[in-house]
Amino acid sequence: MSILIDENTQLLVQGITGREGLFHTSQMLAYGTRVVAGVTPGKGGEWVLDGKVPVFDTVQIAVEATGANCSVSFVPARFAADAMLEASAASVELIVCITEGIPVQDMMRVRRALDLQGTRLVGPNCPGLLSPGASKVGIIPGHIAKRGKIGIVSRSGTLTYEVLYSLTASGMGTSTCVGIGGDPVNGTSFVDVLSMFEEDPHTDKVVLIGEIGGTDEEKAAAFISDQMTKPVVGFIAGRTAPPGKRMGHAGAIVEGGTGLASEKIRVLQSAGVRIADHPEQIPELLQ
Amino acid sequence: MKLHEYQSKQIFAQHGIPIPHGRVAAIADEVRAIAEELGGKVVVKSQVLVGGRGKAGGIRLAKTPEDAAGLAAKILGMEIKGLPVRKVLVDEAVNIATEIYLGITNDRTSRCPVMIASSEGGVDIEEVARTDPKKIVRKRIDALLGWRDYQGRDLASAIELPREHWRSFMSIARGLYETYIECDATLAEINPLVITKEGHLLALDGKMVIDDNALYRHPEIAEMRDIDEEEPEERQARKFGLSYVKLDGDIGCLVNGAGLAMATMDVIKLHGGEPANFLDIGGGASAEKVREALSIILLDSNVKVVLINIFGGITRCDEVARGILEALKKHKAKLPIVVRLVGTNDEEGRKLLAKADMMTAKSLAEAAQMAAELVKEKAPA
């Protein structure tokens, strides 16, 4: 059916009483996600969204009371590292961090601590996960996708929506869409998600949306060439970005010759990935 | 955010790293006075946020205070890679025996800090990295354990540093790691780290880049920002939380999301156009933010056509439309504008824009094509 999240996902929202947290919790509930708890320190005992979701002071108490197994975090950047460590310490299996603008040194320490604890992190600075018809964890607009057999993994946010939208317009459906985020240090990588799609009996083909900076696409190319049997179609944003310039995402910086779009496209193509010239060409390449 | 050499070295000194005596100045007379204080023989170094200062003639040795003032007068009028020199650092001249390299940065692939050292310091370090990579030694640092002294010994040994300098080298490495951590740097670099003929280690040059996302917890560093070194448009964008990079083309782009903004630029190029900028309004932008974003584009004299591409998720298309209308009212611009609005509240957004004189596109590819053709039509035959 899907990877990472499904109908059985019991979700906890960190930062549920904030503007973004509250709005997107209502969107997730409307989509059918089982949101079982929220956490905002100092607001334990309250209920939000017409009494639908109980709020707790700590993740530990929320997990004990509700059995939540997944957390999505809208906690502001300066408190976000702490929020991830808290969820990990409370043995939450999957953390999805939407927050953008987290200092990179915080992320290096968090990632190391989460690895020791064995917690899976998606993000930060990501739109989250969507398994159409089953569950939505994050901020991807639910109505632009329908259930199907194409797996999507992306470092981008709105560019991912663009691709989902054009797939739906071409009558194609999605098993799970995973936004891994655009930061230089994040949790789940392209390779992690590709291997899950390879194992998932309900995913037939995969779309990979990358961008300039880092070497995650190069690692994905090696994995695809060595271990994947399912066809992969890709798009890499930033072909026209000048080197050395920061293009919004902390991650989208081209550093001295590495991380160039042209190089990523070359290695992906030689791994058998068909690369689209523009995002709206992806459905055509999947046919 | 990049720091100037003099700023970086001051921070190094606070962490126990030895630096030459020196001060910064903006006029030649000051330079003469500083040179007199320092004993006459000094180095006059232009302070601009760009590499290759030495090769451009922006770093000169002066034998006397008079000489220093003369050189400073020349350097203070220079432009280096398009950046005017507004300040010089006047450092005491030192007797260099050996130049080594020491730096720390983020290793993205291993998700940890990495300390880098080389026996071949100086201006050609990047050339060394290409031609003789074995001369560049790296030590990854566990993000939870931090820098350990044994790693300093490992590095000293690997670059074949004479043992009498190890103690000093390890103290400098420790100081550089502390600097990097305490300032939330993404780069802290000493190049060259010199061994003087008298046998002392000294950070002759320094460079730091600070993580913009961490500036909130370093107000003292945030204040060091040299606004003279920013494009005015980039300063304006930063004020409103917009992510903007000026480019050389003539199609102004306004997009939500960094990935989509880059993809939009790519598709423009695919259709033969040239983007004038990268501009990401971020998620959930208000009408005010959109107005400021579009104003920046409309005020850019290179822009001939504007392309607005919005895929509303958190961002609401009606809010974007209101911002567009406000900007147009303010600037009375006659530039052709191509708009593509999809997603949250797109119907309302399109209704708001219906009265304004704009071209609408259904897809990204169509929008890019329209913009590229409009530029061609406007070009003199």
Side-chain angles (χ1 to χ4, degrees):
Chain A
M1 193 67 65
S2 56
I3 63 167
L4 291 164
I5 56 164
D6 58 25
E7 290 86 346
N8 301 317
T9 299
Q10 304 210 58
L11 186 68
L12 172 158
V13 180
Q14 290 180 269
I16 194 167
T17 55
R19 196 172 70 103
E20 298 292 331
L22 204 56
F23 173 73
H24 288 289
T25 302
S26 72
Q27 298 283 305
M28 289 188 281
L29 281 170
Y31 196 77
T33 305
R34 293 173 61 188
V35 182
V36 298
V39 170
T40 297
K43 303 230 169 145
E46 294 180 15
W47 290 73
V48 292
L49 298 169
D50 307 323
K52 287 199 197 81
V53 185
V55 182
F56 300 88
D57 282 317
T58 72
V59 175
Q60 186 70 47
I61 302 170
V63 168
E64 279 166 12
T66 65
N69 57 5
C70 174
S71 163
V72 64
S73 173
F74 294 95
V75 172
R78 59 183 72 188
F79 311 114
D82 198 52
M84 286 183 269
L85 293 172
E86 182 185 0
S88 173
S91 301
V92 171
E93 295 154 27
L94 171 64
I95 302 172
V96 179
C97 184
I98 307 300
T99 312
E100 71 174 282
I102 302 174
V104 65
Q105 289 191 10
D106 287 5
M107 274 319 300
M108 292 193 291
R109 288 185 282 264
V110 166
R111 175 65 203 269
R112 183 85 175 84
L114 263 53
D115 283 352
L116 288 173
Q117 179 80 15
T119 311
R120 175 165 292 288
L121 169 69
V122 174
N125 189 14
C126 80
L129 305 159
L130 177 67
S131 291
S135 185
K136 154 172 154 154
V137 173
I139 63 174
I140 300 172
H143 64 92
I144 61 171
K146 61 171 198 165
R147 187 182 284 207
K149 298 206 138 192
I150 293 166
I152 300 177
V153 59
S154 171
R155 269 170 73 188
S156 171
T158 46
L159 176 56
T160 314
Y161 309 165
E162 187 86 51
V163 173
L164 275 173
Y165 184 73
S166 63
L167 286 181
T168 307
S170 309
M172 295 180 185
T174 304
S175 55
T176 301
C177 176
V178 185
I180 61 171
D183 275 6
V185 175
N186 64 359
T188 299
S189 68
F190 275 138
V191 170
D192 297 332
V193 180
L194 289 173
S195 76
M196 288 182 233
F197 280 139
E198 177 69 13
E199 296 294 312
D200 177 33
H202 302 283
T203 299
D204 287 347
K205 296 176 184 175
V206 179
V207 175
L208 180 149
I209 304 161
E211 58 187 38
I212 52 170
T215 53
D216 223 26
E217 289 80 2
E218 284 81 345
K219 289 183 193 165
F223 178 83
I224 291 165
S225 152
D226 296 344
Q227 302 191 40
M228 272 194 90
T229 57
K230 297 177 183 177
V232 182
V233 167
F235 176 77
I236 304 294
R239 283 191 224 212
T240 54
K245 290 277 190 181
R246 178 181 283 248
M247 291 285 163
H249 278 174
I253 288 182
V254 185
E255 299 133 329
T258 66
L260 291 172
S262 56
E263 179 59 15
K264 290 175 188 293
I265 290 169
R266 192 187 65 75
V267 295
L268 284 166
Q269 280 175 335
S270 54
V273 178
R274 300 183 72 188
I275 300 289
D277 288 331
H278 60 96
E280 289 155 332
Q281 197 192 9
I282 286 174
E284 189 187 314
L285 297 184
L286 283 166
Q287 268 157 8
Chain B
M1 176 185 130
K2 288 183 191 168
L3 295 185
H4 282 298
E5 175 195 0
Y6 76 93
Q7 297 168 325
S8 306
K9 274 156 61 174
Q10 276 163 11
I11 296 175
F12 290 169
Q14 287 161 15
H15 291 90
I17 298 172
I19 60 167
H21 296 289
R23 277 213 329 264
V24 75
I27 50 170
D29 285 345
E30 254 181 287
V31 172
R32 184 186 296 112
I34 297 169
E36 272 163 11
E37 259 174 60
L38 294 174
K41 204 173 163 193
V42 294
V43 184
V44 182
K45 309 178 84 176
S46 54
Q47 300 295 293
V48 281
L49 296 174
V50 68
R53 292 174 300 159
K55 285 175 183 166
I59 298 178
R60 304 285 294 272
L61 180 69
K63 294 204 176 71
T64 64
E66 212 41 54
D67 192 13
L71 287 171
K74 266 186 219 148
I75 292 173
L76 283 166
M78 281 173 69
E79 272 196 7
I80 299 181
K81 295 185 182 165
L83 294 175
V85 180
R86 293 188 171 88
K87 286 186 208 111
V88 290
L89 173 64
V90 188
D91 264 357
E92 61 177 339
V94 299
N95 299 312
I96 301 168
T98 312
E99 297 191 337
I100 59 182
Y101 173 94
L102 188 67
I104 179 170
T105 187
N106 300 333
D107 180 346
R108 210 174 146 150
T109 305
S110 309
R111 300 177 296 266
C112 65
V114 60
M115 186 83 78
I116 303 166
S118 173
S119 57
E120 313 290 310
V123 290
D124 293 323
I125 186 73
E126 287 178 34
E127 187 60 26
V128 174
R130 265 192 303 274
T131 55
D132 199 358
K134 277 196 205 121
K135 290 265 168 137
I136 310 274
V137 189
R138 292 176 174 80
K139 277 281 155 204
R140 292 198 184 111
I141 303 167
D142 186 302
L144 296 180
L145 290 175
W147 178 252
R148 316 304 299 189
D149 270 345
Y150 81 86
Q151 296 179 297
R153 283 191 294 275
D154 281 353
L155 274 188
S157 157
I159 64 168
E160 296 174 356
L161 187 72
R163 209 172 288 145
E164 69 255 34
H165 301 305
W166 281 26
R167 185 186 290 271
S168 173
F169 177 81
M170 282 164 61
S171 148
I172 290 171
R174 224 179 287 133
L176 195 63
Y177 175 74
E178 276 171 24
T179 303
Y180 161 89
I181 291 291
E182 282 174 25
C183 300
D184 269 297
T186 57
L187 172 77
E189 181 179 80
I190 307 172
N191 186 36
L193 173 62
V194 301
I195 305 174
T196 63
K197 287 189 177 145
E198 297 77 21
H200 302 298
L201 265 67
L202 208 54
L204 215 57
D205 199 351
K207 186 173 177 183
M208 284 180 76
V209 183
I210 310 296
D211 182 353
D212 289 327
N213 288 335
L215 281 175
Y216 74 86
R217 56 191 178 201
H218 306 285
E220 72 295 345
I221 298 177
E223 272 178 27
M224 292 182 183
R225 187 188 294 274
D226 187 345
I227 55 167
D228 287 336
E229 300 253 334
E230 280 181 309
E231 298 266 3
E233 296 95 339
E234 294 183 352
R235 195 180 321 153
Q236 185 72 1
R238 188 163 50 77
K239 207 169 112 194
F240 286 91
L242 303 160
S243 185
Y244 173 88
V245 179
K246 193 167 163 53
L247 303 169
D248 298 330
D250 44 24
I251 300 177
C253 313
L254 188 157
V255 188
N256 64 326
L260 188 59
M262 285 191 286
T264 303
M265 287 159 49
D266 294 346
V267 179
I268 287 173
K269 199 129 179 176
L270 191 69
H271 286 91
E274 288 288 340
N277 64 274
F278 164 94
L279 200 166
D280 168 17
I281 60 168
S286 63
E288 185 200 18
K289 206 163 164 177
V290 175
R291 181 191 71 210
E292 294 304 320
L294 187 52
S295 299
I296 291 170
I297 294 175
L298 293 174
L299 291 172
D300 180 347
S301 56
N302 292 334
V303 172
K304 295 202 184 92
V305 175
V306 181
L307 193 164
I308 299 172
N309 184 28
I310 301 294
F311 204 114
I314 309 187
T315 306
R316 287 164 33 204
C317 291
D318 55 331
E319 196 72 17
V320 173
R322 265 187 283 275
I324 294 173
L325 293 176
E326 283 177 27
L328 291 180
K329 208 162 128 191
K330 193 170 142 197
H331 295 284
K332 302 193 173 56
K334 297 208 173 54
L335 289 176
I337 300 180
V338 180
V339 189
R340 182 199 175 227
L341 289 180
V342 192
T344 313
N345 297 355
D346 51 0
E347 281 302 317
E348 292 92 321
R350 279 195 285 261
K351 256 180 227 157
L352 282 168
L353 293 182
K355 285 171 221 120
D357 184 20
M358 274 175 222
M359 279 147 279
T360 54
K362 288 203 182 64
S363 70
L364 169 55
E366 189 192 7
Q369 193 174 353
M370 283 165 73
E373 275 165 16
L374 282 163
V375 169
K376 275 180 214 148
E377 281 168 28
K378 287 186 81 180

